[in-house]
Amino acid sequence: MRKKVIKFLSPIRKWLFGTLIMTVVLASATFLYFRSQIDHDLGANTEVVDSSQFQVISGNLAITDVSVLSVDSQTMIPNQIVLIKDNTIESISPEVVVPDEYHVIDGKGQFLIPGLVDSHVHVKKSKNDLLLYIANGVTQIGEMTGMEHHFEYLEQIKQGAIGPHMFIASPKLTSQQGMKPFLRSRFEKRHQNFLNPLEAREAVRNFKSVGYDAIKLSSDLDEDIYFAINDEAKKLNIPVIGHLPVGLQLSDLYLSGQSQLSHIDSIIQNLINEFGGLSSKNSEDFLTHVKQHAEQIAVKFKQNNIALASTVWLHRTRSNQDFDLTGFLKSIEFEFQNPGWIEGSIVSGGCLPGGNSYENQNNTKADDLRSWDIYYRAYNEAIEIMTRALVDQGVTLTAGTDALGACGMIAGFSLHNELETLNKIGLTNAQVLHAATLAPSKWMGSNSGKIEPGYRADLVLLKKNPLEDISYTRSINAVIANGKYLNRTQLDHILESVKDANNTSRKVNIDAYLN
């Protein structure tokens, strides 16, 4: 009888064992598939440019007969000699004997400004984007959804790789229910989900111990988790930055201890909720509401020392991406956008028609188009009103773009669009330069952002004076970053190399979207 039972059980054991093996294989295959999809979306499959091919000048430098931007960004001081030693500005003077061991750069007719800073970016998994920042004069960035490999990039730059200095915020903290946020936390790593205050507090402690520069918040945090994160971060003396959770008011922000808000439009969203919604029918009344409250809000931000990243150009592009996406893509340097981010993955629709999250996919009727046009105009005017109020009250405003966090925001290039937009909505050229140099540098706690002895020599040499026209920040003749001098020839070489790597790595042809 016992032998019969054993014979009967043997096939069952084999079936169970086979089922277990199959389950493990399927689970592993699913994991690898999701992992590969997400890595493609993050740019990990893009061919990496070999930066050793670029010829740089290292060592002590002397820039002679150059006009230098004053510390207050108000004037250009002519005929200066700037000495740079050990990646630090050694002296600035109209008359100085240049030591023999210094490499001399003739700055006659050119304009020296501090390296530009994009305070809100998402580098993801393609090191090519770091090259794009340098090629556009951006010598420092604020990474707003940090991952472990960003510390590897930062260390490589410190050891001599070409790239900007990096302020690295933690992965974005969320508190969503369901399988999607759980899987996103496990697979993508850029977002980490916590469902109770104790877990969130522990996460803050862990991120602090790893070395992140700040704690990044999502807009979907529960109220109790939001305040727990801010409380724990205050104990550890690490800044909390990012979004104000949906459902909370600006009064909650003022009390929380959060030290930075990621987008000026976050204020507008809060005002829209307070007003009861924005539509084409109430747009003028809403703008009156914004005007009535803008100064008071700005005063509160100043009193509570809350900084703001701008990202105003992104929101001005939303209507174009909504109803004329092809035209918008042709208007930007789309060939430099990372192929993975363009094409998307199983977790992201990408940036092309049919997948772009900003695109109108409902064949909106003409009447609705007119209504949406009024909506967008009011929305952007509200941002302009709020931005001017913030600047008037002396609130710390840092130029930021959401590069590679939103479609169309291309690493390096988008910052120049941001600066021109800030100028168009009322900031002076000097105020714009301040928001892109000293203000973000001070906010990040870095020893840069102004041309003064003792400061890090992150510098951009321009052919034209940006105090005359802010678009002249694009007239880059050379960049000095991390002790390396790259002239215009090498900067062009960088751009061509990234473009070639992108073309080699594409799975989807984008010729129809290039100008």
Side-chain angles (χ1 to χ4, degrees):
M1 181 70 180
R2 189 166 177 271
K3 290 182 179 179
K4 289 182 178 181
V5 171
I6 292 173
K7 288 181 179 180
F8 175 74
L9 290 175
S10 182
I12 294 177
R13 287 172 177 166
K14 289 180 180 179
W15 179 82
L16 289 173
F17 182 73
T19 301
L20 177 62
I21 294 298
M22 184 61 68
T23 300
V24 171
V25 170
L26 288 174
S28 298
T30 301
F31 175 85
L32 292 173
Y33 174 71
F34 273 92
R35 182 72 271 167
S36 66
Q37 284 283 296
I38 292 170
D39 278 348
H40 177 72
D41 182 41
L42 298 179
N45 297 332
T46 302
E47 178 183 292
V48 178
V49 172
D50 178 10
S51 61
S52 67
Q53 65 184 296
F54 307 122
Q55 298 177 9
V56 302
I57 296 173
S58 300
N60 299 336
L61 302 172
I63 307 174
T64 62
D65 199 17
V66 68
S67 294
V68 173
L69 185 68
S70 61
V71 172
D72 62 5
S73 299
Q74 295 290 332
T75 60
M76 283 288 179
I77 306 169
N79 310 120
Q80 298 297 299
I81 300 172
V82 180
L83 296 185
I84 299 169
K85 183 178 183 179
D86 299 327
N87 195 28
T88 301
I89 299 171
E90 185 180 20
S91 68
I92 307 165
S93 172
E95 295 181 3
V96 66
V97 177
V98 178
D100 292 338
E101 67 271 19
Y102 281 63
H103 182 92
V104 177
I105 298 161
D106 184 5
K108 187 174 183 179
Q110 299 180 71
F111 303 87
L112 193 68
I113 66 170
L116 299 173
V117 185
D118 190 334
S119 65
H120 189 120
V121 312
H122 302 273
V123 172
K124 300 185 177 175
K125 287 191 174 182
S126 175
K127 289 196 290 186
N128 295 351
D129 295 322
L130 300 176
L131 296 175
L132 290 179
Y133 286 115
I134 294 299
N136 281 279
V138 181
T139 59
Q140 187 164 242
I141 57 175
E143 169 53 53
M144 291 294 106
T145 45
M147 292 178 278
E148 290 181 4
H149 68 272
H150 290 138
F151 291 104
E152 297 175 14
Y153 291 173
L154 180 59
E155 185 58 32
Q156 290 166 5
I157 291 168
K158 288 180 179 178
Q159 296 301 319
I162 297 173
H165 295 273
M166 298 174 67
F167 174 97
I168 306 174
S170 73
K172 187 185 290 186
L173 275 62
T174 67
S175 57
Q176 295 177 300
Q177 300 288 340
M179 185 57 67
K180 183 176 179 180
F182 172 80
L183 292 174
R184 198 172 194 183
S185 291
R186 295 299 179 272
F187 286 103
E188 192 183 21
K189 302 296 185 182
R190 297 173 59 241
H191 302 78
Q192 294 295 299
N193 204 50
F194 304 98
L195 299 179
N196 64 68
L198 290 178
E199 287 183 354
R201 286 179 181 273
E202 183 179 359
V204 172
R205 293 193 292 271
N206 289 339
F207 290 138
K208 169 73 173 182
S209 66
V210 168
Y212 286 104
D213 294 307
I215 303 298
K216 175 68 184 292
L217 303 180
S218 173
S219 60
D220 56 31
L221 282 170
D222 291 340
E223 181 176 352
D224 56 346
I225 295 177
Y226 170 74
F227 281 103
I229 289 170
N230 277 282
D231 179 64
E232 193 67 27
K234 183 178 180 180
K235 294 176 183 177
L236 298 173
N237 195 30
I238 182 171
V240 176
I241 65 177
H243 299 262
L244 177 65
V246 174
L248 297 187
Q249 307 302 314
L250 290 174
S251 56
D252 296 310
L253 174 68
Y254 305 146
L255 294 173
S256 68
Q258 183 175 335
S259 64
Q260 186 257 17
L261 195 61
S262 283
H263 310 276
I264 293 175
D265 97 297
S266 296
I267 300 174
I268 306 307
Q269 289 285 357
N270 200 273
L271 288 171
I272 289 174
N273 294 335
E274 177 184 279
F275 188 69
L278 170 62
S279 70
S280 60
K281 296 180 180 179
N282 68 1
S283 61
E284 290 301 322
D285 290 338
F286 173 68
L287 289 175
T288 299
H289 179 74
V290 174
K291 292 173 184 176
Q292 290 172 343
H293 290 83
E295 182 178 345
Q296 177 188 3
I297 291 170
V299 168
K300 284 290 187 180
F301 270 79
K302 179 65 175 179
Q303 290 174 345
N304 290 280
N305 197 28
I306 302 172
L308 277 137
S310 55
T311 70
V312 293
W313 183 63
L314 162 63
H315 299 290
R316 287 170 77 95
T317 71
R318 284 178 57 193
S319 60
N320 291 332
Q321 295 198 62
D322 197 347
F323 299 118
D324 184 20
L325 180 55
T326 297
F328 169 72
L329 296 180
K330 286 183 176 181
S331 74
I332 61 177
E333 299 84 356
F334 198 46
E335 64 270 30
F336 293 101
Q337 186 78 287
N338 196 283
W341 187 236
I342 287 176
E343 296 159 8
S345 68
I346 196 170
V347 297
S348 172
C351 295
L352 296 173
N356 187 303
S357 61
Y358 292 128
E359 181 190 22
N360 167 44
Q361 300 181 34
N362 301 312
N363 297 315
T364 306
K365 296 179 181 178
D367 288 344
D368 290 333
L369 285 174
R370 285 192 289 271
S371 296
W372 275 109
D373 182 60
I374 294 172
Y375 172 91
Y376 280 126
R377 288 177 183 273
Y379 193 90
N380 285 314
E381 186 174 344
I383 292 175
E384 294 176 15
I385 294 167
M386 195 66 246
T387 303
R388 289 193 291 268
L390 292 165
V391 173
D392 289 344
Q393 294 302 320
V395 175
T396 297
L397 181 68
T398 66
T401 66
D402 215 350
L404 278 179
C407 287
M409 303 300 112
I410 302 171
F413 293 95
S414 58
L415 183 63
H416 297 282
N417 296 103
E418 183 72 17
L419 304 188
E420 290 165 21
T421 303
L422 288 170
N423 186 232
K424 288 177 182 176
I425 67 178
L427 276 69
T428 66
N429 294 6
Q431 288 172 330
V432 173
L433 288 173
H434 179 77
T437 55
L438 184 55
S441 295
K442 289 177 67 175
W443 176 70
M444 293 176 183
S446 64
N447 186 37
S448 61
K450 59 181 177 180
I451 305 175
E452 196 169 71
Y455 278 72
R456 195 171 67 217
D458 291 347
L459 304 167
V460 181
L461 195 59
L462 301 175
K463 300 175 185 176
K464 299 179 180 181
N465 184 356
L467 290 177
E468 295 178 357
D469 188 325
I470 200 63
S471 68
Y472 291 165
T473 57
R474 298 179 188 265
S475 66
I476 299 170
N477 201 36
V479 174
I480 302 171
N482 201 29
K484 294 177 175 58
Y485 176 87
L486 293 104
N487 62 22
R488 185 67 257 173
T489 300
Q490 295 308 310
L491 297 177
D492 288 337
H493 189 186
I494 287 175
L495 294 175
E496 286 301 316
S497 297
V498 173
K499 188 190 302 185
D500 290 343
N502 285 353
N503 288 333
T504 301
S505 305
R506 294 194 198 286
K507 294 183 178 180
V508 177
N509 188 292
I510 64 166
D511 287 350
Y513 310 107
L514 301 180
N515 189 359

